[in-house]
Amino acid sequence: MSILVCGGAGYIGSHMVLELIKKNYDVVVVDNLSNGHRELVDKNAKFYTCDIRDDSLMDNIIQKENVEAVIHFAAFSIVSESMIDPAKYYDNNILATLSLLNTMRRNKINKIVFSSTAAVYGEPESIPIHEDNSLRPINPYGETKLTIEKMLYWFDNAYNIKYSILRYFNVAGADENIKTGEMHNPETHLIPIILKSILENKKIKIFGDDYPTQDGTCIRDYIHVTDLAIAHILALEKLNKTNKSEIYNLGNGNGFSVMQIIKTAEKVTGKKINYEIAPRRIGDPAILIASSEKAKKNLNWQPKFYEPEKIISTAWNWHKKLFLDKN
């Protein structure tokens, strides 16, 4: 079965490709390399530098490679940037996905796994967050992902394109064998910011220490990137078996505070983290944890990396490698 991975040169996408290759799928990657890195793509995958809005090239790739299903990661995902430049997010996330779905229609592909976000829930009405919670995004990034989810619903109704939507919060870690990992510029994720601060001897900021949590810092749900990639494969296989569209939340099931992550990083690296307390950021809820019970039950998804020590250890190995390669 030939799988098209859109955005397969990115952080999550490159891990997706790696896990598909391990399971002996034929993998085709399209990425415009606006944020992706060609060198992160497994050499056993077929790679095309292509924007998913390029209808002619996409048709040629799909027909040449006999693509049967799509896994879609090609999106911008920085919340703060989406607040400043929402047009960029509407164009790249929504319009590009519309183009992709129309490409699927033309080529009679009727299966897609969509990498969404728990940002579609906005300020959660309850913790942990379940799939039937209210959808009230509070930033353009979450709004664009929710719009795409709605598009998928109606494309299923009108054109019988079946989907599996996966919603999740903080992705972290790297491939255990250090074949790929996180390479964002600028970096906005907590764990790589912490680890890079050690390697580059920089101070980091903790935004708020007066939240109603045990240590006053925000609590977040972290999922290892390999566990996330495996969940996408399980969702695709379930979709092929049932031909029924579904939505799943993914997460660790346990929340960890910013301070807990810092202390764990200190334990893993043996280094002291240099930080300062800064004012809260607007729109940061105190606690965000997603329930993964539906995915565990329906997909038989069993995350391997529960403990923050394991997640941070894989990330540390990757960032040390990057630092040594640069120096």
Side-chain angles (χ1 to χ4, degrees):
M1 184 177 189
S2 186
I3 310 298
L4 179 68
V5 181
C6 301
Y11 171 43
I12 302 173
S14 63
H15 287 83
M16 182 78 258
V17 172
L18 196 60
E19 295 307 314
L20 285 166
I21 294 293
K22 287 179 183 177
K23 295 208 69 174
N24 296 316
Y25 282 97
D26 294 322
V27 182
V28 182
V29 175
V30 295
D31 198 302
N32 65 10
L33 299 180
S34 60
N35 288 323
H37 302 272
R38 174 68 180 87
E39 65 270 24
L40 296 184
V41 180
D42 189 281
K43 63 180 182 353
N44 293 302
K46 294 181 179 178
F47 179 83
Y48 295 88
T49 303
C50 174
D51 192 295
I52 59 176
R53 288 169 287 197
D54 188 333
D55 293 346
S56 178
L57 183 53
M58 286 289 289
D59 285 344
N60 289 338
I61 293 167
I62 285 170
Q63 291 162 19
K64 178 183 177 181
E65 303 295 349
N66 296 312
V67 170
E68 298 175 66
V70 173
I71 304 179
H72 180 26
F73 296 100
F76 293 144
S77 60
I78 301 176
V79 170
S80 58
E81 182 185 52
S82 78
M83 297 290 284
I84 297 168
D85 192 5
K88 177 180 179 180
Y89 280 67
Y90 276 82
D91 179 45
N92 184 77
N93 293 4
I94 294 176
L95 297 183
T97 301
L98 177 59
S99 182
L100 173 64
L101 290 172
N102 281 328
T103 296
M104 291 176 63
R105 288 177 58 205
R106 287 193 307 275
N107 291 279
K108 296 181 172 53
I109 300 170
N110 69 344
K111 300 284 192 310
I112 182 170
V113 177
F114 176 55
S115 182
S116 189
T117 173
V120 298
Y121 296 110
E123 295 279 354
E125 59 188 9
S126 62
I127 298 291
I129 303 168
H130 293 269
E131 289 83 356
D132 57 358
N133 278 34
S134 299
L135 303 174
R136 299 174 297 193
I138 58 175
N139 53 66
Y141 165 61
E143 189 69 47
T144 60
K145 289 284 193 171
L146 179 56
T147 300
I148 293 167
E149 291 191 11
K150 292 178 179 178
M151 286 167 53
L152 290 170
Y153 173 82
W154 291 112
F155 268 65
D156 182 1
N157 274 263
Y159 311 118
N160 200 35
I161 292 179
K162 300 300 179 183
Y163 59 82
S164 187
I165 292 170
L166 304 182
R167 299 171 177 160
Y168 48 90
F169 284 116
N170 297 40
V171 187
D175 170 60
E176 278 189 293
N177 297 314
I178 327 179
K179 290 185 176 181
T180 184
E182 202 159 2
M183 287 176 62
H184 293 128
N185 187 23
E187 185 55 71
T188 61
H189 296 162
L190 177 63
I191 290 175
I193 286 174
I194 290 172
L195 299 179
K196 289 172 75 173
S197 78
I198 296 171
L199 294 167
E200 299 169 4
N201 195 27
K202 293 182 178 179
K203 181 182 286 188
I204 65 169
K205 292 182 178 180
I206 296 177
F207 296 99
D209 63 349
D210 57 350
Y211 286 92
T213 61
Q214 187 173 1
D215 59 29
T217 61
C218 289
I219 292 174
R220 294 293 182 264
D221 193 351
Y222 293 87
I223 179 173
H224 193 276
V225 63
T226 299
D227 285 331
L228 180 63
I230 290 170
H232 281 73
I233 295 176
L234 293 172
L236 176 63
E237 291 173 345
K238 184 76 169 183
L239 192 57
N240 285 328
K241 183 178 180 179
T242 65
N243 201 38
K244 180 183 177 184
S245 296
E246 290 284 1
I247 298 173
Y248 302 98
N249 284 347
L250 300 173
N252 186 291
N254 298 299
F256 304 101
S257 73
V258 173
M259 193 57 67
Q260 283 179 302
I261 294 297
I262 287 175
K263 295 303 180 186
T264 303
E266 289 181 336
K267 178 181 176 182
V268 168
T269 64
K271 306 289 185 179
K272 192 72 175 174
I273 310 298
N274 188 10
Y275 65 86
E276 64 181 5
I277 304 299
R280 290 188 186 188
R281 293 180 298 194
I282 296 174
D284 268 352
I287 302 173
L288 292 175
I289 302 172
S291 169
S292 301
E293 292 310 307
K294 180 179 177 181
K296 289 176 180 177
K297 180 180 178 181
N298 291 14
L299 302 179
N300 195 28
W301 180 59
Q302 298 295 331
K304 179 181 177 182
F305 299 90
Y306 272 112
E307 299 86 358
E309 288 88 349
K310 283 189 175 182
I311 295 173
I312 293 173
S313 291
T314 61
W316 179 233
N317 290 337
W318 169 254
H319 284 289
K320 283 191 295 184
K321 176 181 181 292
L322 285 185
F323 186 76
L324 290 173
D325 288 347
K326 287 181 181 178
N327 299 277

